[in-house]
Each structure stands twice: as structure tokens, then as C-alpha cells.
Amino acid sequence: MASGKRFKIACIGAGNVGAACAQYCLDMELGDVVLTDVVEGVPQGKALDLTEAGPVRGYSCMCTGTNDYKDIAGADVCVVTAGLPRKPGMTRLDLLEKNGNIISDVCANIKKHAPDSIVIIVTNPLDVMAYVAYKKLGFPAKRVIGMAGILDSSRMRSFVAMELGCSMKNVDTMVLGSHGDDMVPLPEYTTVSGIPITKLMPKERVDAIVERTRKGGGEIVALLKTGSAFYAPGASAARMVESIVRDEKQILPCAAYLEGLYGLKDVYAGVPCKLGKDGVEDIIELELTADQKAALHKSSQEVQSGIDGLKQVGIL
Ligand code: A3D
């Protein structure tokens, strides 16, 4: 392990995304992984399977599975994927109440057993669940972060590479706002080896890529028919873990608690964050056009109405 310290990563929720995240964390040798779930046998079985992949893949990090939160004690990072995935025809907001209760329960256990951890929320509706976690945990905001922007921007990067027939590695982009159809992909900040994509393809193709990015989650739900994407979401959460445990200070789009930046207050939204050993160590405020600013505020209104909904049913 890079720094010499052996890190402990708790993946809470051992479903598709949780297990994929665990797999990527182990493969990158980020730390020992504890898979936690309410279903008996599933975290234990997946953990044993992932451990048995170690000799083949060449990692020496251990993976254990449990139904007991005591086993997350001392975790440095908790990745929370516990909840229900979006099903075809279901909006993110349909999930609000059920997942709000699950996140509340998970956070009570994190607070009790891993009070010094950095918490990455993946459960949908993402920005509202990150807010619930922040309120329930009572941790400093920099230690409660939502994963969405890395996934959304990775989707956009793939679509740009597919369009140009170039390496995905050369494509960089930024997606702001909430995780949903109202997200704000930024073509103006999208480049291929430093070249703005607006110089590499016509406007209609840029617009089509922006639209496909916005609908990226739904595209996979429609294909899979049961469940939603998990490889790219798991990889995206693992990328956040990597930047934290290795203190890499990568600038990544993450859902962060805003207290005035971008004109937003007391809400979570996707913004460029510097991720390091303390969590969100800085937030970069980009210069936006009036349209982009309006789109960002529109996407936050939906998050705000989700928060208001949870206040009405007493979860917040
Ligand atoms: P799934 O494979 O169903 O896994 C969810 C797991 O959570 C299951 O194993 C459940 O048993 C477990 N669980 C339920 N309640 C609890 C609890 N109280 N404590 C511990 N574990 C519990 O779903 P998935 O892995 O495909 O998706 C997980 C979540 O991530 C869903 O809310 C998805 O919508 C969300 N997700 C978000 C993104 C983003 O980009 C934000 C992407 C993909 C999935």
C-alpha cells in the first residue's frame, strides 16, 4: 500500500455496485475491504469469492463479509450503496422515502462504529441521500461526499471517444449539478488532449453526447431490464477511495455540501472537488454562463424538493 498504512474500506451494501466497488478497491490494492449487508450469506460469499481472486489478480488485501456493523470498526472510508436500485419506469424520487430510511439506519451504525471515517454515498436519489447522510452523521461536511459526477463524466468521456474513434484516456470533462436528467454536462470544459471538443465535432454531435450523458443511467436500465449500472458506478466510487487513501488530491466531480458557492446553500450538488486524506479539501468554483448557472440551479431545485419531501415525512 502506497503510504505504508493498511487502510480499511467498508462497503455497506453488498449488491451489484458494492461488490463492484470492492472488486476495484482490492484490485487497486487500496486497502482491506469489509462487505456489509443485511442479507445473510451474500456479503460473506462475495467476500470469499473476491479473496479467492487475489492470488490470480496478485493482490494481498483481504476481503471479509459480515451482517454485523461491529466489523466496520475503525474503517477509514465507508462506501454506502445500501438501498434499492432504480427499476425500469421508476423515477429516482420514487425511491426517496425507502432509501431515506435505509440511509438513516446505515448512518446511525457508521456513527457508532466508524466515527472518524470519510463516507461516500452512492445510494439514489444521490444528492438527497448525501444530504440525509450529512444530517444524520453530524460529521464535518468535507467527510460526507456523494458519488455521481465521476460516473456521469466517465460516461460522457466514453461517448466522446466513441464519436471520435480516439482513446478514452485522452478525453477529459466536467459534469455539474444533481445526478439525474437535469445534470449539467459542460462541453465547454470537455477536451481531447487539451483540444476543446467544440473544435473536433459539429454542434449537433456535441448536443447528442450531452443528451446521451443525461440519460446514461436510463439507457443501461432499459438494456438490463432488471437492476441498473454497476461496473462504472463501482469503479467511480473506487476512484474516490483511491484519491482519499492515497491522498492524491485528484480534482473530481463529486456531490458536496454547498454553503454559498455557486449561489447554492444547504444542499448537495455535483461540483469539482479536490479529494485527499481529509475528504473534500477544496471546491473549485467554475465560471459559468448564465444558461449553465440557470441549469445548475434548476437541478438543485429538484434536490431541494426531495429534501423538503423527506422533511414532510419526518425522515429529516
Ligand atoms: P443492489 O444490487 O440491489 O444492492 C443493494 C444492496 O443493499 C442489497 O444487497 C441489499 O440487501 C442492501 N441493503 C438494503 N438495505 C440495507 C441496509 N439497511 N443495510 C445494508 N444493506 C442494505 O443495488 P445496486 O448495488 O445496483 O445499487 C445500489 C444503490 O446505488 C441504489 O440505490 C442505486 O440506485 C444506486 N446507484 C447509484 C448510482 C449513482 O451514480 C449515484 C449508480 C448506480 C447505482
Side-chain angles (χ1 to χ4, degrees):
M1 267 159 247
S3 69
K5 174 180 167 175
R6 204 169 173 112
F7 288 96
K8 180 167 174 178
I9 302 152
C11 290
I12 302 174
N16 283 336
V17 182
C21 177
Q23 182 185 350
Y24 288 115
C25 287
L26 291 165
D27 225 42
M28 290 195 278
E29 300 213 275
L30 298 181
D32 296 318
V33 173
V34 181
L35 269 175
T36 312
D37 204 288
V38 283
V39 181
E40 270 178 42
V42 168
Q44 291 86 348
K46 289 188 181 183
L48 184 57
D49 199 9
L50 282 166
T51 299
E52 290 165 0
V56 185
R57 295 295 307 153
Y59 53 76
S60 53
C61 294
M62 296 303 292
C63 188
T64 49
T66 184
N67 307 112
D68 187 341
Y69 277 101
K70 276 195 201 116
D71 296 325
I72 72 164
D76 299 283
V77 183
C78 297
V79 180
V80 180
T81 63
L84 301 176
R86 192 159 57 118
K87 304 250 166 66
M90 210 180 186
T91 68
R92 284 194 166 78
L93 289 178
D94 291 336
L95 293 176
L96 200 63
E97 204 176 326
K98 276 204 156 74
N99 282 353
N101 281 321
I102 291 174
I103 293 298
S104 301
D105 173 54
V106 168
C107 287
N109 282 295
I110 293 176
K111 202 170 166 173
K112 186 165 171 201
H113 298 286
D116 298 322
S117 60
I118 292 174
V119 180
I120 298 171
I121 301 294
V122 181
T123 306
N124 273 317
L126 189 273
D127 307 86
V128 185
M129 291 305 123
Y131 184 90
V132 172
Y134 169 61
K135 291 290 170 187
K136 300 286 171 182
L137 286 164
F139 291 3
K142 66 181 177 181
R143 287 208 277 128
V144 187
I145 321 162
M147 185 296 291
I150 301 174
L151 171 65
D152 297 329
S153 64
S154 186
R155 284 181 174 146
M156 186 157 166
R157 291 166 70 188
S158 327
F159 301 150
V160 169
M162 287 177 206
E163 179 74 20
L164 296 173
C166 71
S167 168
M168 293 188 268
K169 287 197 223 167
N170 294 145
V171 185
D172 224 333
T173 189
M174 184 51 63
V175 177
L176 302 182
S178 67
H179 181 59
D181 296 349
D182 285 335
M183 70 177 77
V184 188
L186 297 177
E188 294 79 357
Y189 287 98
T190 306
T191 56
V192 182
S193 292
I195 309 162
I197 55 160
T198 45
K199 301 218 181 289
L200 294 170
M201 63 180 85
K203 185 178 179 309
E204 314 85 76
R205 296 310 303 153
V206 174
D207 291 347
I209 286 172
V210 165
E211 197 48 24
R212 190 172 177 193
T213 302
R214 285 208 178 100
K215 306 260 165 71
E219 183 177 358
I220 293 193
V221 169
L223 288 166
L224 293 180
K225 301 198 175 57
T226 55
S228 54
F230 52 96
Y231 293 116
S236 302
R239 170 51 47 86
M240 293 171 71
V241 176
E242 178 189 39
S243 195
I244 292 165
V245 301
R246 295 193 170 148
D247 194 23
E248 284 182 343
K249 307 196 190 297
Q250 293 189 50
I251 308 288
L252 299 164
C254 304
Y257 184 69
L258 296 181
E259 292 169 283
L261 285 180
Y262 290 94
L264 297 170
K265 224 175 159 49
D266 193 33
V267 75
Y268 268 74
V271 286
C273 296
K274 188 198 282 177
L275 286 196
K277 64 176 178 7
D278 297 324
V280 176
E281 297 182 356
D282 200 8
I283 297 174
I284 294 163
E285 191 165 20
L286 296 173
E287 209 174 292
L288 298 180
T289 63
D291 284 353
Q292 288 164 342
K293 217 177 269 176
L296 180 62
H297 281 244
K298 182 171 176 262
S299 84
S300 281
Q301 273 161 19
E302 177 135 357
V303 178
Q304 191 58 58
S305 74
I307 292 170
D308 293 343
L310 287 185
K311 283 182 180 159
Q312 271 164 23
V313 295
I315 292 178
L316 277 170

